[in-house]
Amino acid sequence: MLVRDAMSTVILTLGPAHTLREAATLMSARRIGAAVVFDPDAGGIGILTERDILNSVGLGQNPDTERAHAHTTTDVVFAAPTWTLEEAARAMAHGGFRHLIVLDRGEVAGIVSVRDIIRCWSPAREPAPLARAGS
């Protein structure tokens, strides 16, 4: 199975001036763990993750004044839609992160997460077996 089969194509994009609270609110509403940050002044495409926001709050920083650009990873490892899920998982394990921005011909095509990969590798959810009386 390939990255293009697992990736989310509806992505949240932010600008560098978004506050961390704005980012967290948008990410929470969409139930996602990462957003793509477009910052032409800092090299273009970066990623802001829930972990970045958590680290900032854990340091006592104010999420209403902290800006995305200060917490965005700009040294990003990008995936291609034609990568296998094994290649994506290996890149995540090697880099110690849980999301990859997927680029197709230089354009953002989606994001693939560890959760996306697990969904593809795991069998469909089955209902839990019912307990029998007297068991």
Side-chain angles (χ1 to χ4, degrees), residues 36-89:
V36 174
V37 179
F38 287 107
D39 188 354
D41 295 332
I45 302 170
I47 191 166
L48 180 71
T49 68
E50 59 195 354
R51 184 177 295 162
D52 298 324
I53 295 169
L54 182 66
N55 287 340
S56 174
V57 171
L59 291 171
Q61 297 173 337
N62 184 342
D64 292 314
T65 58
E66 287 296 312
R67 303 292 172 179
H69 71 84
H71 302 278
T72 298
T73 300
T74 55
D75 184 21
V76 179
V77 175
F78 297 101
T82 56
W83 280 16
T84 65
L85 294 185
E86 288 82 5
E87 289 172 303

Side-chain angles (χ1 to χ4, degrees), residues 103-122:
L103 289 185
D104 190 11
R105 297 179 187 100
E107 299 292 323
V108 175
I111 291 184
V112 65
S113 70
V114 168
R115 182 178 292 159
D116 295 327
I117 293 171
I118 290 170
R119 279 190 198 125
C120 290
W121 284 347
S122 297

